[in-house]
Amino acid sequence: MKFGIGQAVRRVEDRRFLTGHGRFVADIDLTRQAFGAVLYSPHAHARILSIDTSNAEQQSGVIGVLTGQDCRADKIGGLTPKFMPERMGGPPGYSTVRPILIADTVRSVGDRIAFVIAESEETARTALDLIEVDFEPLPAVVELEEAARNTSAQVWPDCKTGNISCTIEFGDAAATETAFKCAAHVVSARLENNRLCANPIEPRAAIGDYSAADSHFTLYTCSQAPHQVRSIMAEKVFGVAETKIRVISPDVGGGFGMKADPYPEDVLVLWASRKFGRPVKWVGNRSEALIGDSHARDMVVEGELALDENGIILAIRAHGIHGLGAYFSGAAAAPLFYALMFIPGAYNVQTVYLTNSAVFTHTPPFSVYRGAGRPEGTYLIERLMDKAAVELGIDGLEIRRRNLITVDALPYQTPVEHIYDSGEFHRIMAECAKQSDWDGFEARRKITEGDGKLRGRAVSYFIERGGNFNERMELKCDPGGDVTIFAGTHSHGQGHATVYAQMVSGWLGVDIERIGFVQGDTDKVLFGRGTMAARSSLVGGCALKMAADEMIKKAKPMAAQLLESAETDIEFTDGEFRVTGTDRAMPFADVAKAFFAPAGFTESFGVGLEAAGFHSGDPPNFPNGCHIAEVVVDPETGKVEVERYTAVDDVGVVI
């Protein structure tokens, strides 16, 4: 099939983006639309003694000002974690509720204090300066290790374990201690994974539109998971049926996990629209994004590796502390686990003792970002492997070769509850070494030293997990025989409109130009879990395959009638229903058209052809790969040049 799976295709999304016809939330304007601006806390920890909004409310063009007291009066619910560690098999943790607007105590810079609604964005932002807030500053703790020691301020006074919400644990402490006592070599490392913020090309934006006629909310937001946003708004915030809320997530300029959760601004525009009877639009700027968006990483970990005299790993021990910020937010529980579960990597080790404590600080809340703990785990084991190579005088590639899981050991049960079903780790690493010309390094180093510079290299092996949760995908044919994909996932740069169409084109034999794509609208797509955690191609793709198979199954009896044959004699290959052993055939599209006939066969088969597919992410898959970097350093200036970078990844079938 032309443009099927694995073939190079010009992305169908790119024309509108490259010609400036993308439709982002900031591009949308509604009739009678007002504009909102948020007053953020300048303090990490402070008590609000009073808020005077009178001057702001009297400003020309200001429609209204909302505060935390209004939030309480209108019974607007707060944002809670999507799940706590106990749902992933961990211990109970101290949970929090994040108010939409703070009425009493701010716990981080960026806590929302007031929301101004005005005729223009400029007027709303100007009015923010007229709000007078009397703060009583309180002791604050922002350093992770200080917070874990609880030597100063406590973020949540009623948390019985100080600033520690919970501690995740894997492995056997006693067995690990015994292995370390027997080890010929022990290496250790203390690593800091710095706090970061995603900084997507498109800052967050939201528009709320409430219809008093039918008590229906519509939210336009740049979300990776619009159906999850709908559920949270309905159940946690407004206490209404999900049928009363529509969430539309149009084109989104980068997500990275940061846009996986709803934010207070999503609530504010809906609440303000209901309260003032007009659509309300909020568009964040870059400065607001840095303090208002979810942060990530912020982990300090101390790890040790026990090895025998031949460099074989005997045990791993690691203890980490992981930042939560001021609130237990979104899916923040996931990186707590993954930062431990990927420490063993693709290496053959069964004896481990790993802990990670979730720590509150007076800083913006944390959630998932680009790997959600996987990079932290990989970083530790690979640094330990490098240290072990130096300690034992073994080549970095060789010490990894000795410890990688072999093909004959698969499926492999790790000590951290993963089961690697397949993998060719040695082959991947050998191919990466070959492509990087590993054996030619010494010759290159001598040449570099002759030029007065230094040359170094490093190898790293990673394994990660893809395919979390289940997913639903739907296919519908129209009277012209064209097919539309209704995706429960959400594309915000990944190119789903192209790759999913390639899949369906190959499975059904419909030209890619005749395949439509709908996503990001909870009124059009029945259900979906969105896109994050490396899940779309596996879970969404497999669900789409099941939908395609179901559609073929439904169409087969119709094809038998049209071809005047028994259903048992009908086969479907290369986009055609064919009578076995004959040249009689009919393309899928022609059979689909027959489902829309005004009479005849539709009396038996019904009108329209559609199918839904479901797929579970259990068991997950484990993409993996080897990367080798080679750099040249000028010792006089400190300038570093990456001269070679080689990556060989096992990703399965390339779509």
Side-chain angles (χ1 to χ4, degrees):
M1 169 57 64
K2 182 182 180 183
F3 302 140
I5 294 172
Q7 299 183 48
V9 178
R10 186 181 296 277
R11 294 195 348 154
V12 301
E13 303 95 333
D14 287 350
R15 176 177 291 275
R16 72 173 187 275
F17 292 136
L18 294 174
T19 57
H21 290 89
R23 187 171 182 264
F24 299 86
V25 174
D27 297 321
I28 300 170
D29 289 303
L30 305 180
T31 304
R32 299 184 63 246
Q33 175 178 279
F35 295 83
V38 178
L39 181 65
Y40 297 93
S41 168
H43 295 278
H45 192 202
R47 186 175 293 111
I48 298 176
L49 302 179
S50 66
I51 300 178
D52 185 352
T53 63
S54 58
N55 290 334
E57 290 170 327
Q58 293 168 15
Q59 176 83 353
S60 177
V62 170
I63 298 168
V65 180
L66 298 174
T67 67
Q69 293 298 340
D70 298 315
C71 198
R72 287 178 174 175
D74 288 2
K75 297 181 180 179
I76 303 299
L79 300 176
T80 58
K82 285 184 179 177
F83 54 89
M84 290 296 289
E86 49 263 42
R87 186 173 134 187
M88 295 182 69
Y94 181 86
S95 185
T96 61
V97 177
R98 183 185 187 183
I100 304 306
L101 292 175
I102 304 297
D104 43 26
T105 303
V106 296
R107 289 182 166 83
S108 77
V109 171
D111 260 349
R112 284 67 165 169
I113 296 174
F115 189 56
V116 176
I117 303 92
E119 297 292 346
S120 70
E121 182 179 0
E122 182 180 5
T123 300
R125 289 190 176 277
T126 300
L128 291 178
D129 295 331
L130 302 177
I131 299 175
E132 298 178 9
V133 184
D134 186 8
F135 290 104
E136 178 190 349
L138 300 172
V141 57
V142 297
E143 294 294 334
L144 188 60
E145 291 174 289
E146 181 185 353
R149 290 192 297 268
N150 196 29
T151 57
S152 54
Q154 188 163 332
V155 181
W156 296 95
D158 58 345
C159 179
K160 294 182 172 56
T161 48
N163 286 319
I164 297 176
S165 170
C166 62
T167 298
I168 311 300
E169 180 179 309
F170 285 97
D172 186 324
T176 302
E177 177 66 22
T178 299
F180 269 84
K181 288 180 179 179
C182 299
H185 301 276
V186 173
V187 295
S188 63
R190 179 186 181 277
L191 303 177
E192 296 185 20
N193 292 270
N194 60 283
R195 170 201 301 264
L196 54 78
C197 187
N199 253 328
I201 290 176
E202 179 201 21
R204 287 187 301 106
I207 304 173
D209 186 14
Y210 178 76
S211 171
D214 56 5
S215 304
H216 191 277
F217 295 93
T218 300
L219 173 66
Y220 299 84
T221 183
C222 43
S223 172
Q224 298 174 224
H227 290 85
Q228 290 187 35
V229 172
R230 181 183 66 178
S231 296
I232 292 169
M233 293 293 161
E235 179 184 356
K236 303 293 185 181
V237 177
F238 292 105
V240 299
E242 290 200 29
T243 54
K244 291 292 185 180
I245 296 180
R246 179 185 186 185
V247 177
I248 300 172
S249 183
D251 291 329
V252 173
F256 316 114
M258 184 276 290
K259 292 180 181 174
D261 303 322
Y263 284 84
E265 290 81 6
D266 296 313
V267 178
L268 289 171
V269 294
L270 290 176
W271 175 31
S273 179
R274 184 177 70 177
K275 199 168 186 69
F276 297 105
R278 294 173 61 176
V280 177
K281 181 176 185 176
W282 170 84
V283 179
N285 60 37
R286 188 62 61 189
S287 297
E288 290 170 334
L290 291 173
I291 63 170
D293 294 352
S294 293
H295 291 191
R297 305 282 195 253
D298 199 22
M299 181 189 187
V300 177
V301 60
E302 295 182 353
E304 296 176 285
L305 198 62
L307 306 103
D308 69 12
E309 63 278 5
N310 296 314
I312 303 301
I313 301 172
L314 301 176
I316 306 172
R317 185 161 53 197
H319 304 291
I321 51 176
H322 219 132
L324 288 174
Y327 304 93
F328 209 124
S329 180
L336 300 176
F337 283 82
Y338 287 161
L340 300 183
M341 296 176 79
F342 287 94
I343 288 176
Y347 301 112
N348 181 17
V349 54
Q350 286 294 310
T351 306
V352 302
Y353 183 57
L354 314 170
T355 69
N356 198 11
S357 296
V359 181
F360 290 113
T361 56
H362 289 105
T363 62
F366 287 68
S367 192
V368 293
Y369 171 83
R370 293 304 303 237
R374 301 167 180 86
E376 293 94 311
T378 300
Y379 181 31
L380 178 62
I381 185 60
E382 290 304 302
R383 286 297 296 124
L384 289 171
M385 292 299 283
D386 283 342
K387 287 202 163 193
V390 173
E391 169 82 15
L392 277 71
I394 301 175
D395 176 80
L397 201 69
E398 173 59 22
I399 196 169
R400 287 170 171 82
R401 185 192 65 77
R402 295 181 188 182
N403 286 284
L404 283 172
I405 298 165
T406 58
V407 173
D408 58 8
L410 298 169
Y412 183 88
Q413 173 74 61
T414 75
V416 289
E417 301 180 6
H418 281 148
I419 299 177
Y420 300 157
D421 57 339
S422 62
E424 297 177 276
F425 310 133
H426 286 86
R427 178 187 171 193
I428 294 293
M429 192 172 69
E431 181 63 25
C432 192
K434 177 183 176 182
Q435 292 192 23
S436 72
D437 188 21
W438 183 270
D439 294 337
F441 173 77
E442 288 300 328
R444 292 191 296 275
R445 185 170 69 173
K446 289 179 181 179
I447 295 173
T448 304
E449 290 176 348
D451 295 334
K453 296 183 179 181
L454 304 174
R455 180 178 291 267
R457 66 178 174 182
V459 56
S460 180
Y461 206 99
F462 81 92
I463 188 166
E464 74 123 327
R465 169 177 170 153
N468 289 333
F469 314 122
N470 55 21
E471 190 53 87
R472 182 186 193 276
M473 303 286 277
E474 193 171 0
L475 292 171
K476 292 183 179 181
C477 291
D478 63 26
D482 296 345
V483 180
T484 298
I485 300 164
F486 292 82
T489 55
H490 189 282
S491 179
H492 36 275
Q494 294 89 342
H496 291 177
T498 301
V499 296
Y500 285 156
Q502 283 186 271
M503 293 177 180
V504 173
S505 179
W507 296 329
L508 298 183
V510 178
D511 289 341
I512 194 170
E513 295 86 356
R514 301 185 65 180
I515 299 173
F517 180 72
V518 176
Q519 67 162 20
D521 187 334
T522 60
D523 272 13
K524 294 181 179 179
V525 180
L526 180 64
F527 184 73
R529 302 196 186 278
T531 289
M532 71 287 292
R535 64 186 303 273
S536 294
S537 63
L538 172 65
V539 186
C542 288
L544 194 60
K545 177 64 165 67
M546 296 176 74
D549 290 345
E550 180 65 17
M551 187 167 273
I552 293 168
K553 180 180 177 181
K554 286 184 174 182
K556 197 172 182 180
M558 174 69 84
Q561 293 288 338
L562 294 171
L563 292 168
E564 299 179 339
S565 174
E567 184 180 340
T568 54
D569 292 333
I570 297 294
E571 61 182 7
F572 184 78
T573 57
D574 298 326
E576 291 185 326
F577 289 97
R578 184 180 302 275
V579 179
T580 305
T582 74
D583 59 359
R584 286 188 294 153
M586 184 173 289
F588 174 86
D590 288 348
V591 175
K593 291 177 185 178
F595 279 88
F596 293 90
F601 294 139
T602 53
E603 301 300 322
S604 300
F605 300 121
V607 177
L609 179 59
E610 59 186 62
F614 311 88
H615 186 74
S616 170
D618 188 19
N621 69 359
F622 294 93
N624 62 91
C626 182
H627 291 214
I628 296 175
E630 196 167 311
V631 301
V632 173
V633 181
D634 186 334
E636 295 294 326
T637 64
K639 181 180 179 181
V640 179
E641 296 182 21
V642 179
E643 189 167 283
R644 293 174 177 232
Y645 196 100
T646 308
V648 177
D649 292 352
D650 183 353
V651 299
V653 175
V654 176
I655 302 169

